[in-house]
Amino acid sequence: GWAALVSWAQAEAAARAEALPPALAAAATAERDRAIADEALRAADRAAGDRRRDETAAARAEQEARGAVDTVDRRIAQLESALAGAPGDDEAAAELRRLDALDAAVREADSELRTARGALRTAERAEAEVAREVTAAWHALRAARDPLVPLGAPAVSGDELLAAWEALTGWAREAAAVRAEQLDEATTAARAAREARAAVERRIADDLDAHHVAAAPPLGSTASAAVAGALARARSVQERIAERRATAEKLRADRDEAESAQQVAKLLGNLLRSDGFPRWLVASALDALVADASRSLAELSGGQFELTHEGGEFLVIDHTDADARRPVKTLSGGETFQASLALALALSAQMSGLAAQGAARLESIFLDEGFGTLDEANLETVASTLESLASRGDRMVGVITHVPALAERVPVRFVVSRDQRTSSIVRENL
């Protein structure tokens, strides 16, 4: 390894020794070029210094002439750009003349701008005066039209003041001509209205006499006060009648309450008899049992069935058959099992409440077979219901079954096997 490395190093050293003289020659040439470039750079720096002095002088002149820093910056940028190309004196002089021309144009434009602003202010004042006059004219137009609105004056719309005035005056001329033609008819109508008013006053006088309301003529000014007085008297009578009716209603309510109390007392008397109270107690317990079982059956049947009782028999309400009621004997085998399971669950839940105070709680329930009559969907529903019942923790549910699908759902299993001699029990936990 060392020999290979030394051989490689010697070969590399020989190669670099051969390449060293050309490299040194190139380095010397590059050094001379660098010296020439440095001299050229110093000459360029001196030229640039001269140009910068010229630029500073020009910028100072420009600053004094313009008085704005942004213009000076632009001028310096222009001068630097011009100096980078080393322009001649003629070109610089032409640029200065152009700047002078621009300054003159700026002063001229500023003068024209001031003149234009003055003219604009004068025009704005004239416009404001005209606007005030137009506004006053619109106010006058609306003031003239508003009293004429009940007569059908046209609406004032648009922005043309003269057109609006012409429309209003044209309508006024036409309306005046029409009303001149209608004057005779209006006079006749007014005469008829006076006659009709007299007839109405006579009818009002007859009505007032019929209701025993005294009013002196003219009825137009006295009838309202007379009617108001009669109305106040009638309202007073009405209030007295309302008070008497309220008293009568209270008496009727007291009577109904007394009758209800009498009926309750009679019912309690019948129920507390030696031959009635046990039947009532059993009926109440059966109602509670059926109500609880009905909720479980609705859950097991997917909302199809509910349970009730009538005349000592259990009935089912079939919601898929227009809520028809039929005996439980008409149920299929799986449906009968669901109803039986619902009653068993309800009985286990109601047992402690139905028993005497201090009785032991029924904390376990065993279901023996019947699962073989269920199809897969009903079996799944029953298994889910039993799992939910057991998960509450207040009751142990035992299932005795030969159905493998249901047995697999039970978390703790006791498998009973039998041979020719004996039987054995093995506990299996999931």
Side-chain angles (χ1 to χ4, degrees), residues 58-68 71-72 75 99-100 103 106-107:
R60 186 179 298 110
E62 179 64 18
Q63 184 176 9
E64 294 174 355
R66 301 293 290 175
T71 306
V72 172
R75 182 62 57 82
L99 292 176
D100 293 337
D103 290 338
V106 167
R107 287 192 294 272

Side-chain angles (χ1 to χ4, degrees), residues 7-334:
S7 298
W8 172 83
Q10 289 175 352
E12 288 295 323
R16 282 167 173 72
E18 292 177 359
L20 182 59
L24 292 176
T29 303
E31 183 65 23
R32 288 192 299 272
D33 293 340
R34 185 184 68 79
I36 295 171
D38 288 341
E39 183 61 28
L41 178 61
R42 285 190 292 273
D45 287 340
R46 289 192 296 271
D50 297 338
R51 298 303 182 185
R52 289 193 186 93
R53 285 191 295 273
D54 295 340
E55 178 186 358
T56 302
R60 186 179 298 110
E62 179 64 18
Q63 184 176 9
E64 294 174 355
R66 301 293 290 175
V69 176
D70 54 341
T71 306
V72 172
D73 292 337
R74 289 194 298 271
R75 182 62 57 82
I76 290 174
Q78 293 171 358
L79 290 175
E80 288 179 348
S81 177
L83 290 175
D89 295 338
D90 295 338
E91 187 178 352
E95 186 66 21
L96 292 175
R97 287 193 298 272
R98 189 177 67 83
L99 292 176
D100 293 337
L102 290 175
D103 290 338
V106 167
R107 287 192 294 272
E108 183 178 357
D110 185 62
S111 176
E112 293 177 355
L113 177 61
R114 287 195 294 271
T115 302
R117 286 176 177 171
L120 177 61
R121 286 192 292 271
T122 302
E124 288 176 348
R125 287 194 294 271
E127 181 184 7
E129 184 64 26
V130 171
R132 285 193 294 271
E133 293 177 358
V134 170
T135 302
W138 278 109
H139 288 323
L141 174 60
R142 293 188 178 92
R145 174 189 170 275
D146 290 345
L148 302 177
V149 171
L151 301 179
V156 176
S157 60
D159 299 329
E160 295 295 334
L161 179 62
L162 180 59
W165 270 110
E166 290 177 350
L168 182 62
T169 54
W171 170 84
R173 286 192 297 270
E174 294 176 0
V178 172
R179 281 166 175 73
E181 295 175 356
Q182 296 174 349
L183 181 59
D184 294 337
E185 297 178 1
T187 302
T188 303
R191 187 182 304 110
R194 286 192 292 271
E195 294 175 356
R197 183 184 65 181
V200 171
E201 288 181 350
R202 287 192 297 272
R203 288 197 300 271
I204 292 175
D206 295 340
D207 291 340
L208 293 178
D209 291 339
H211 291 86
H212 307 289
V213 178
L219 295 180
S221 58
T222 60
S224 299
V227 171
L231 179 61
R233 292 190 295 274
R235 285 177 176 170
S236 177
V237 174
Q238 181 186 13
E239 290 176 357
R240 289 195 295 273
I241 293 174
E243 291 175 356
R244 293 175 182 175
R245 291 185 63 180
T247 303
E249 291 291 338
K250 185 176 183 303
L251 292 175
R252 280 194 293 270
D254 294 340
R255 182 197 63 190
D256 295 340
E257 184 177 358
E259 291 178 353
S260 177
Q262 186 268 339
Q263 293 176 359
V264 171
K266 182 178 178 180
L267 178 62
L268 288 176
N270 293 331
L271 293 177
L272 294 176
R273 293 171 56 185
S274 60
D275 58 347
F277 182 71
R279 287 196 299 271
W280 173 80
L281 187 61
V282 170
S284 299
L286 185 59
D287 289 338
L289 180 65
V290 170
D292 197 359
S294 181
R295 288 191 294 270
S296 298
L297 180 58
E299 181 179 356
L300 291 171
S301 63
Q304 180 180 0
F305 298 117
E306 287 187 4
L307 195 64
T308 184
H309 69 95
E310 183 177 342
E313 293 186 1
F314 289 113
L315 304 175
V316 292
I317 302 174
D318 192 349
H319 293 297
T320 61
D321 189 16
D323 294 344
R325 296 190 176 202
R326 52 192 175 93
V328 294
K329 293 182 293 184
T330 61
L331 296 175
S332 64

